[in-house]
Amino acid sequence: MAKDLMNLLDLTKEELREVLDLAHKYREDRTLDNTALSGKTIGLIFLKNSTRTRVSFETGVNQLGGYPMYMDQNSLQLGRGESFVDTAKVLSRYLDGIVIRGHEHEDIKAFADACTIPVINALTDTFHPCQLLADMQLIEATSGKLEGVKIAFMGDCASNMALSWIYAAHLTGMELTLGGPEGYLPPQEFLDSIGNPSNIKVTTDAKAAAKDVDYIYTDVWVSMGFEEEAKDRLASFAPYQVNMDLLSVAKSDVKVMHCLPAYRDKEVSAEVIDGPHSIIWDQAENRLHAQKAVMKLKF
């Protein structure tokens, strides 16, 4: 297994299978492997605000018997201009593993490359692999498989979540359709880099994206760092709201997913997110189980 997890393609199909199998076991028994990280200190570096990611990782380290050391930008010299590389070289002398949530993917990749200990990407502006591991765990538990399951991703199809979904579909054979407006579609060169697989499609037609799918997935329209674009984004994404009208073209038992935080009656209607099609709370819980599996195998 590669030293670091920067994006899902750092896992082979066999390694992904190992992560998901272990995550399923952890959901059934939270006490399993409770000494796996015994005697180890895991650094949790968060340069962006976080609820689910921070709490699930911190809890997960504890449940595996390790010591989680939380650090934010204000508590590190990164906040005063020390380089990512210098910080990485020092922290590698103290810690047994690092989970880092940041901004520019290139900065976090340079940090991981400079570390001599394993590093897990807990979100960058380009990728969010840990969220997708939790999502795949839930889809597999709900549908009994991943290959052939039909997913519609609605909204910003050039976001870190959309790009991570593309990698997930590429690895597993899920049938992914991304529905979003012009100007917010995945870069062609990104699709070219994985050979333009036939199980991944892109459209600007919201209902065409959602037609006969098993799952509809959405994310916030204005992510951290894009607040100045809020007005334009809200207008562009309005036709892609996940609401009952959109669900009407999906399968009758379609499930709705959202990586949270959610803004009701923007990217998803309150009726949908709080209704019987929503599985977002199970989805959020799986962050704990999937991340424990990755840490057990990495650290």
PDB file of all heavy atoms in Angstrom, residues 200-231:
ATOM      1  N   ILE A 200     -18.857   6.787 -16.930  1.00  0.00           N
ATOM      2  CA  ILE A 200     -18.916   8.142 -16.378  1.00  0.00           C
ATOM      3  C   ILE A 200     -19.404   9.086 -17.467  1.00  0.00           C
ATOM      4  O   ILE A 200     -18.799   9.191 -18.539  1.00  0.00           O
ATOM      5  CB  ILE A 200     -17.534   8.579 -15.858  1.00  0.00           C
ATOM      6  CG1 ILE A 200     -17.073   7.646 -14.729  1.00  0.00           C
ATOM      7  CG2 ILE A 200     -17.581  10.028 -15.367  1.00  0.00           C
ATOM      8  CD1 ILE A 200     -15.641   7.860 -14.289  1.00  0.00           C
ATOM      9  N   LYS A 201     -20.520   9.758 -17.201  1.00  0.00           N
ATOM     10  CA  LYS A 201     -21.128  10.659 -18.180  1.00  0.00           C
ATOM     11  C   LYS A 201     -21.340  12.035 -17.561  1.00  0.00           C
ATOM     12  O   LYS A 201     -21.462  12.172 -16.335  1.00  0.00           O
ATOM     13  CB  LYS A 201     -22.460  10.094 -18.678  1.00  0.00           C
ATOM     14  CG  LYS A 201     -22.330   8.741 -19.372  1.00  0.00           C
ATOM     15  CD  LYS A 201     -23.683   8.209 -19.807  1.00  0.00           C
ATOM     16  CE  LYS A 201     -23.541   6.931 -20.623  1.00  0.00           C
ATOM     17  NZ  LYS A 201     -22.885   5.843 -19.869  1.00  0.00           N
ATOM     18  N   VAL A 202     -21.396  13.043 -18.406  1.00  0.00           N
ATOM     19  CA  VAL A 202     -21.574  14.429 -17.973  1.00  0.00           C
ATOM     20  C   VAL A 202     -22.698  15.045 -18.788  1.00  0.00           C
ATOM     21  O   VAL A 202     -22.779  14.850 -20.005  1.00  0.00           O
ATOM     22  CB  VAL A 202     -20.270  15.236 -18.173  1.00  0.00           C
ATOM     23  CG1 VAL A 202     -20.477  16.688 -17.742  1.00  0.00           C
ATOM     24  CG2 VAL A 202     -19.107  14.611 -17.411  1.00  0.00           C
ATOM     25  N   THR A 203     -23.597  15.798 -18.113  1.00  0.00           N
ATOM     26  CA  THR A 203     -24.695  16.456 -18.808  1.00  0.00           C
ATOM     27  C   THR A 203     -25.052  17.761 -18.105  1.00  0.00           C
ATOM     28  O   THR A 203     -24.788  17.922 -16.908  1.00  0.00           O
ATOM     29  CB  THR A 203     -25.939  15.548 -18.870  1.00  0.00           C
ATOM     30  OG1 THR A 203     -27.000  16.221 -19.561  1.00  0.00           O
ATOM     31  CG2 THR A 203     -26.428  15.179 -17.476  1.00  0.00           C
ATOM     32  N   THR A 204     -25.639  18.676 -18.848  1.00  0.00           N
ATOM     33  CA  THR A 204     -26.169  19.905 -18.249  1.00  0.00           C
ATOM     34  C   THR A 204     -27.662  19.789 -17.977  1.00  0.00           C
ATOM     35  O   THR A 204     -28.281  20.733 -17.486  1.00  0.00           O
ATOM     36  CB  THR A 204     -25.911  21.105 -19.174  1.00  0.00           C
ATOM     37  OG1 THR A 204     -26.508  20.851 -20.450  1.00  0.00           O
ATOM     38  CG2 THR A 204     -24.418  21.358 -19.353  1.00  0.00           C
ATOM     39  N   ASP A 205     -28.246  18.639 -18.268  1.00  0.00           N
ATOM     40  CA  ASP A 205     -29.681  18.405 -18.093  1.00  0.00           C
ATOM     41  C   ASP A 205     -29.902  17.671 -16.771  1.00  0.00           C
ATOM     42  O   ASP A 205     -29.567  16.495 -16.631  1.00  0.00           O
ATOM     43  CB  ASP A 205     -30.195  17.562 -19.268  1.00  0.00           C
ATOM     44  CG  ASP A 205     -31.711  17.379 -19.252  1.00  0.00           C
ATOM     45  OD1 ASP A 205     -32.298  17.294 -18.152  1.00  0.00           O
ATOM     46  OD2 ASP A 205     -32.298  17.276 -20.349  1.00  0.00           O
ATOM     47  N   ALA A 206     -30.476  18.360 -15.789  1.00  0.00           N
ATOM     48  CA  ALA A 206     -30.630  17.793 -14.450  1.00  0.00           C
ATOM     49  C   ALA A 206     -31.466  16.521 -14.457  1.00  0.00           C
ATOM     50  O   ALA A 206     -31.100  15.511 -13.835  1.00  0.00           O
ATOM     51  CB  ALA A 206     -31.244  18.827 -13.512  1.00  0.00           C
ATOM     52  N   LYS A 207     -32.580  16.547 -15.157  1.00  0.00           N
ATOM     53  CA  LYS A 207     -33.451  15.367 -15.148  1.00  0.00           C
ATOM     54  C   LYS A 207     -32.862  14.208 -15.936  1.00  0.00           C
ATOM     55  O   LYS A 207     -33.082  13.044 -15.585  1.00  0.00           O
ATOM     56  CB  LYS A 207     -34.848  15.735 -15.645  1.00  0.00           C
ATOM     57  CG  LYS A 207     -35.621  16.560 -14.614  1.00  0.00           C
ATOM     58  CD  LYS A 207     -37.095  16.654 -14.941  1.00  0.00           C
ATOM     59  CE  LYS A 207     -37.859  17.318 -13.791  1.00  0.00           C
ATOM     60  NZ  LYS A 207     -39.307  17.425 -14.048  1.00  0.00           N
ATOM     61  N   ALA A 208     -32.093  14.507 -16.958  1.00  0.00           N
ATOM     62  CA  ALA A 208     -31.415  13.431 -17.683  1.00  0.00           C
ATOM     63  C   ALA A 208     -30.389  12.758 -16.777  1.00  0.00           C
ATOM     64  O   ALA A 208     -30.218  11.536 -16.816  1.00  0.00           O
ATOM     65  CB  ALA A 208     -30.739  13.982 -18.933  1.00  0.00           C
ATOM     66  N   ALA A 209     -29.719  13.549 -15.931  1.00  0.00           N
ATOM     67  CA  ALA A 209     -28.730  12.990 -15.005  1.00  0.00           C
ATOM     68  C   ALA A 209     -29.385  12.069 -13.981  1.00  0.00           C
ATOM     69  O   ALA A 209     -28.832  11.038 -13.608  1.00  0.00           O
ATOM     70  CB  ALA A 209     -27.984  14.113 -14.301  1.00  0.00           C
ATOM     71  N   ALA A 210     -30.584  12.444 -13.529  1.00  0.00           N
ATOM     72  CA  ALA A 210     -31.262  11.705 -12.457  1.00  0.00           C
ATOM     73  C   ALA A 210     -32.140  10.564 -12.964  1.00  0.00           C
ATOM     74  O   ALA A 210     -32.649   9.783 -12.153  1.00  0.00           O
ATOM     75  CB  ALA A 210     -32.115  12.669 -11.638  1.00  0.00           C
ATOM     76  N   LYS A 211     -32.272  10.416 -14.259  1.00  0.00           N
ATOM     77  CA  LYS A 211     -33.183   9.425 -14.832  1.00  0.00           C
ATOM     78  C   LYS A 211     -32.809   8.008 -14.403  1.00  0.00           C
ATOM     79  O   LYS A 211     -31.707   7.515 -14.663  1.00  0.00           O
ATOM     80  CB  LYS A 211     -33.147   9.542 -16.368  1.00  0.00           C
ATOM     81  CG  LYS A 211     -34.031   8.553 -17.103  1.00  0.00           C
ATOM     82  CD  LYS A 211     -35.499   8.864 -16.927  1.00  0.00           C
ATOM     83  CE  LYS A 211     -36.354   7.970 -17.809  1.00  0.00           C
ATOM     84  NZ  LYS A 211     -37.805   8.159 -17.539  1.00  0.00           N
ATOM     85  N   ASP A 212     -33.742   7.360 -13.696  1.00  0.00           N
ATOM     86  CA  ASP A 212     -33.628   5.942 -13.328  1.00  0.00           C
ATOM     87  C   ASP A 212     -32.408   5.609 -12.463  1.00  0.00           C
ATOM     88  O   ASP A 212     -31.927   4.476 -12.470  1.00  0.00           O
ATOM     89  CB  ASP A 212     -33.612   5.051 -14.577  1.00  0.00           C
ATOM     90  CG  ASP A 212     -34.941   5.095 -15.318  1.00  0.00           C
ATOM     91  OD1 ASP A 212     -35.986   5.275 -14.666  1.00  0.00           O
ATOM     92  OD2 ASP A 212     -34.921   4.971 -16.560  1.00  0.00           O
ATOM     93  N   VAL A 213     -31.911   6.578 -11.689  1.00  0.00           N
ATOM     94  CA  VAL A 213     -30.739   6.289 -10.857  1.00  0.00           C
ATOM     95  C   VAL A 213     -31.151   5.686  -9.516  1.00  0.00           C
ATOM     96  O   VAL A 213     -32.292   5.828  -9.057  1.00  0.00           O
ATOM     97  CB  VAL A 213     -29.880   7.552 -10.620  1.00  0.00           C
ATOM     98  CG1 VAL A 213     -29.329   8.069 -11.940  1.00  0.00           C
ATOM     99  CG2 VAL A 213     -30.652   8.625  -9.873  1.00  0.00           C
ATOM    100  N   ASP A 214     -30.185   5.018  -8.882  1.00  0.00           N
ATOM    101  CA  ASP A 214     -30.390   4.424  -7.562  1.00  0.00           C
ATOM    102  C   ASP A 214     -30.107   5.421  -6.435  1.00  0.00           C
ATOM    103  O   ASP A 214     -30.699   5.325  -5.364  1.00  0.00           O
ATOM    104  CB  ASP A 214     -29.457   3.221  -7.382  1.00  0.00           C
ATOM    105  CG  ASP A 214     -29.671   2.155  -8.440  1.00  0.00           C
ATOM    106  OD1 ASP A 214     -30.752   1.548  -8.438  1.00  0.00           O
ATOM    107  OD2 ASP A 214     -28.753   1.930  -9.265  1.00  0.00           O
ATOM    108  N   TYR A 215     -29.182   6.342  -6.699  1.00  0.00           N
ATOM    109  CA  TYR A 215     -28.765   7.321  -5.689  1.00  0.00           C
ATOM    110  C   TYR A 215     -28.612   8.683  -6.346  1.00  0.00           C
ATOM    111  O   TYR A 215     -28.103   8.792  -7.468  1.00  0.00           O
ATOM    112  CB  TYR A 215     -27.416   6.934  -5.068  1.00  0.00           C
ATOM    113  CG  TYR A 215     -27.434   5.635  -4.316  1.00  0.00           C
ATOM    114  CD1 TYR A 215     -27.273   4.421  -4.993  1.00  0.00           C
ATOM    115  CD2 TYR A 215     -27.613   5.593  -2.930  1.00  0.00           C
ATOM    116  CE1 TYR A 215     -27.302   3.211  -4.318  1.00  0.00           C
ATOM    117  CE2 TYR A 215     -27.633   4.384  -2.249  1.00  0.00           C
ATOM    118  CZ  TYR A 215     -27.480   3.203  -2.945  1.00  0.00           C
ATOM    119  OH  TYR A 215     -27.506   1.997  -2.273  1.00  0.00           O
ATOM    120  N   ILE A 216     -29.050   9.721  -5.633  1.00  0.00           N
ATOM    121  CA  ILE A 216     -28.779  11.099  -6.039  1.00  0.00           C
ATOM    122  C   ILE A 216     -27.932  11.745  -4.951  1.00  0.00           C
ATOM    123  O   ILE A 216     -28.259  11.672  -3.763  1.00  0.00           O
ATOM    124  CB  ILE A 216     -30.072  11.904  -6.249  1.00  0.00           C
ATOM    125  CG1 ILE A 216     -30.881  11.306  -7.404  1.00  0.00           C
ATOM    126  CG2 ILE A 216     -29.749  13.371  -6.527  1.00  0.00           C
ATOM    127  CD1 ILE A 216     -32.201  12.019  -7.667  1.00  0.00           C
ATOM    128  N   TYR A 217     -26.849  12.372  -5.379  1.00  0.00           N
ATOM    129  CA  TYR A 217     -25.859  12.922  -4.456  1.00  0.00           C
ATOM    130  C   TYR A 217     -25.705  14.408  -4.738  1.00  0.00           C
ATOM    131  O   TYR A 217     -25.643  14.829  -5.895  1.00  0.00           O
ATOM    132  CB  TYR A 217     -24.517  12.220  -4.694  1.00  0.00           C
ATOM    133  CG  TYR A 217     -23.517  12.335  -3.572  1.00  0.00           C
ATOM    134  CD1 TYR A 217     -23.242  11.241  -2.754  1.00  0.00           C
ATOM    135  CD2 TYR A 217     -22.824  13.513  -3.336  1.00  0.00           C
ATOM    136  CE1 TYR A 217     -22.309  11.314  -1.736  1.00  0.00           C
ATOM    137  CE2 TYR A 217     -21.897  13.598  -2.311  1.00  0.00           C
ATOM    138  CZ  TYR A 217     -21.642  12.496  -1.515  1.00  0.00           C
ATOM    139  OH  TYR A 217     -20.716  12.587  -0.493  1.00  0.00           O
ATOM    140  N   THR A 218     -25.621  15.194  -3.681  1.00  0.00           N
ATOM    141  CA  THR A 218     -25.356  16.614  -3.873  1.00  0.00           C
ATOM    142  C   THR A 218     -24.463  17.131  -2.776  1.00  0.00           C
ATOM    143  O   THR A 218     -24.174  16.439  -1.786  1.00  0.00           O
ATOM    144  CB  THR A 218     -26.669  17.428  -3.946  1.00  0.00           C
ATOM    145  OG1 THR A 218     -26.386  18.744  -4.409  1.00  0.00           O
ATOM    146  CG2 THR A 218     -27.353  17.487  -2.588  1.00  0.00           C
ATOM    147  N   ASP A 219     -23.998  18.354  -2.958  1.00  0.00           N
ATOM    148  CA  ASP A 219     -23.083  19.006  -2.022  1.00  0.00           C
ATOM    149  C   ASP A 219     -23.435  20.488  -2.008  1.00  0.00           C
ATOM    150  O   ASP A 219     -24.208  20.972  -2.845  1.00  0.00           O
ATOM    151  CB  ASP A 219     -21.641  18.784  -2.487  1.00  0.00           C
ATOM    152  CG  ASP A 219     -20.601  19.232  -1.473  1.00  0.00           C
ATOM    153  OD1 ASP A 219     -20.967  19.503  -0.309  1.00  0.00           O
ATOM    154  OD2 ASP A 219     -19.411  19.315  -1.841  1.00  0.00           O
ATOM    155  N   VAL A 220     -22.860  21.214  -1.073  1.00  0.00           N
ATOM    156  CA  VAL A 220     -23.122  22.655  -0.994  1.00  0.00           C
ATOM    157  C   VAL A 220     -22.744  23.329  -2.307  1.00  0.00           C
ATOM    158  O   VAL A 220     -21.803  22.909  -2.992  1.00  0.00           O
ATOM    159  CB  VAL A 220     -22.366  23.310   0.177  1.00  0.00           C
ATOM    160  CG1 VAL A 220     -22.873  22.786   1.511  1.00  0.00           C
ATOM    161  CG2 VAL A 220     -20.867  23.094   0.056  1.00  0.00           C
ATOM    162  N   TRP A 221     -23.458  24.372  -2.628  1.00  0.00           N
ATOM    163  CA  TRP A 221     -23.154  25.124  -3.847  1.00  0.00           C
ATOM    164  C   TRP A 221     -22.041  26.135  -3.639  1.00  0.00           C
ATOM    165  O   TRP A 221     -21.368  26.526  -4.599  1.00  0.00           O
ATOM    166  CB  TRP A 221     -24.421  25.850  -4.320  1.00  0.00           C
ATOM    167  CG  TRP A 221     -25.459  24.930  -4.873  1.00  0.00           C
ATOM    168  CD1 TRP A 221     -25.306  23.646  -5.288  1.00  0.00           C
ATOM    169  CD2 TRP A 221     -26.845  25.244  -5.073  1.00  0.00           C
ATOM    170  NE1 TRP A 221     -26.503  23.136  -5.744  1.00  0.00           N
ATOM    171  CE2 TRP A 221     -27.473  24.084  -5.626  1.00  0.00           C
ATOM    172  CE3 TRP A 221     -27.636  26.371  -4.843  1.00  0.00           C
ATOM    173  CZ2 TRP A 221     -28.818  24.046  -5.953  1.00  0.00           C
ATOM    174  CZ3 TRP A 221     -28.977  26.338  -5.169  1.00  0.00           C
ATOM    175  CH2 TRP A 221     -29.568  25.188  -5.714  1.00  0.00           C
ATOM    176  N   VAL A 222     -21.843  26.559  -2.416  1.00  0.00           N
ATOM    177  CA  VAL A 222     -20.791  27.539  -2.114  1.00  0.00           C
ATOM    178  C   VAL A 222     -19.904  26.940  -1.027  1.00  0.00           C
ATOM    179  O   VAL A 222     -20.201  27.024   0.161  1.00  0.00           O
ATOM    180  CB  VAL A 222     -21.373  28.891  -1.649  1.00  0.00           C
ATOM    181  CG1 VAL A 222     -20.246  29.904  -1.472  1.00  0.00           C
ATOM    182  CG2 VAL A 222     -22.401  29.410  -2.653  1.00  0.00           C
ATOM    183  N   SER A 223     -18.797  26.317  -1.436  1.00  0.00           N
ATOM    184  CA  SER A 223     -17.887  25.686  -0.492  1.00  0.00           C
ATOM    185  C   SER A 223     -16.971  26.732   0.137  1.00  0.00           C
ATOM    186  O   SER A 223     -16.886  27.884  -0.325  1.00  0.00           O
ATOM    187  CB  SER A 223     -17.034  24.633  -1.202  1.00  0.00           C
ATOM    188  OG  SER A 223     -17.843  23.599  -1.711  1.00  0.00           O
ATOM    189  N   MET A 224     -16.275  26.304   1.204  1.00  0.00           N
ATOM    190  CA  MET A 224     -15.310  27.191   1.849  1.00  0.00           C
ATOM    191  C   MET A 224     -14.281  27.683   0.842  1.00  0.00           C
ATOM    192  O   MET A 224     -13.714  26.898   0.080  1.00  0.00           O
ATOM    193  CB  MET A 224     -14.600  26.459   2.990  1.00  0.00           C
ATOM    194  CG  MET A 224     -15.451  26.235   4.216  1.00  0.00           C
ATOM    195  SD  MET A 224     -14.544  25.374   5.539  1.00  0.00           S
ATOM    196  CE  MET A 224     -14.514  23.697   4.884  1.00  0.00           C
ATOM    197  N   GLY A 225     -14.069  29.006   0.811  1.00  0.00           N
ATOM    198  CA  GLY A 225     -13.118  29.600  -0.112  1.00  0.00           C
ATOM    199  C   GLY A 225     -13.751  30.166  -1.357  1.00  0.00           C
ATOM    200  O   GLY A 225     -13.078  30.829  -2.155  1.00  0.00           O
ATOM    201  N   PHE A 226     -15.063  29.918  -1.548  1.00  0.00           N
ATOM    202  CA  PHE A 226     -15.751  30.411  -2.747  1.00  0.00           C
ATOM    203  C   PHE A 226     -16.875  31.379  -2.406  1.00  0.00           C
ATOM    204  O   PHE A 226     -17.766  31.626  -3.217  1.00  0.00           O
ATOM    205  CB  PHE A 226     -16.309  29.226  -3.553  1.00  0.00           C
ATOM    206  CG  PHE A 226     -15.254  28.314  -4.099  1.00  0.00           C
ATOM    207  CD1 PHE A 226     -14.857  27.196  -3.392  1.00  0.00           C
ATOM    208  CD2 PHE A 226     -14.644  28.596  -5.305  1.00  0.00           C
ATOM    209  CE1 PHE A 226     -13.875  26.350  -3.886  1.00  0.00           C
ATOM    210  CE2 PHE A 226     -13.662  27.756  -5.821  1.00  0.00           C
ATOM    211  CZ  PHE A 226     -13.273  26.633  -5.106  1.00  0.00           C
ATOM    212  N   GLU A 227     -16.811  31.955  -1.217  1.00  0.00           N
ATOM    213  CA  GLU A 227     -17.906  32.819  -0.754  1.00  0.00           C
ATOM    214  C   GLU A 227     -18.127  34.029  -1.654  1.00  0.00           C
ATOM    215  O   GLU A 227     -19.261  34.495  -1.822  1.00  0.00           O
ATOM    216  CB  GLU A 227     -17.635  33.276   0.691  1.00  0.00           C
ATOM    217  CG  GLU A 227     -17.768  32.199   1.743  1.00  0.00           C
ATOM    218  CD  GLU A 227     -16.524  31.314   1.864  1.00  0.00           C
ATOM    219  OE1 GLU A 227     -15.523  31.588   1.161  1.00  0.00           O
ATOM    220  OE2 GLU A 227     -16.546  30.355   2.666  1.00  0.00           O
ATOM    221  N   GLU A 228     -17.060  34.540  -2.257  1.00  0.00           N
ATOM    222  CA  GLU A 228     -17.205  35.721  -3.114  1.00  0.00           C
ATOM    223  C   GLU A 228     -17.971  35.406  -4.397  1.00  0.00           C
ATOM    224  O   GLU A 228     -18.457  36.322  -5.084  1.00  0.00           O
ATOM    225  CB  GLU A 228     -15.821  36.316  -3.447  1.00  0.00           C
ATOM    226  CG  GLU A 228     -14.983  35.515  -4.427  1.00  0.00           C
ATOM    227  CD  GLU A 228     -14.291  34.305  -3.780  1.00  0.00           C
ATOM    228  OE1 GLU A 228     -14.457  34.084  -2.556  1.00  0.00           O
ATOM    229  OE2 GLU A 228     -13.595  33.574  -4.516  1.00  0.00           O
ATOM    230  N   GLU A 229     -18.115  34.117  -4.723  1.00  0.00           N
ATOM    231  CA  GLU A 229     -18.852  33.697  -5.917  1.00  0.00           C
ATOM    232  C   GLU A 229     -20.288  33.299  -5.595  1.00  0.00           C
ATOM    233  O   GLU A 229     -20.997  32.787  -6.467  1.00  0.00           O
ATOM    234  CB  GLU A 229     -18.150  32.504  -6.571  1.00  0.00           C
ATOM    235  CG  GLU A 229     -16.710  32.752  -6.983  1.00  0.00           C
ATOM    236  CD  GLU A 229     -16.047  31.491  -7.511  1.00  0.00           C
ATOM    237  OE1 GLU A 229     -16.765  30.513  -7.812  1.00  0.00           O
ATOM    238  OE2 GLU A 229     -14.809  31.486  -7.621  1.00  0.00           O
ATOM    239  N   ALA A 230     -20.728  33.533  -4.365  1.00  0.00           N
ATOM    240  CA  ALA A 230     -22.006  32.989  -3.899  1.00  0.00           C
ATOM    241  C   ALA A 230     -23.179  33.381  -4.791  1.00  0.00           C
ATOM    242  O   ALA A 230     -23.994  32.530  -5.174  1.00  0.00           O
ATOM    243  CB  ALA A 230     -22.268  33.417  -2.462  1.00  0.00           C
ATOM    244  N   LYS A 231     -23.293  34.645  -5.150  1.00  0.00           N
ATOM    245  CA  LYS A 231     -24.454  35.107  -5.927  1.00  0.00           C
ATOM    246  C   LYS A 231     -24.530  34.391  -7.269  1.00  0.00           C
ATOM    247  O   LYS A 231     -25.592  33.889  -7.666  1.00  0.00           O
ATOM    248  CB  LYS A 231     -24.380  36.615  -6.128  1.00  0.00           C
ATOM    249  CG  LYS A 231     -25.594  37.190  -6.840  1.00  0.00           C
ATOM    250  CD  LYS A 231     -25.508  38.710  -6.948  1.00  0.00           C
ATOM    251  CE  LYS A 231     -26.722  39.283  -7.673  1.00  0.00           C
ATOM    252  NZ  LYS A 231     -26.641  40.768  -7.788  1.00  0.00           N
TER     253      LYS A 231
END
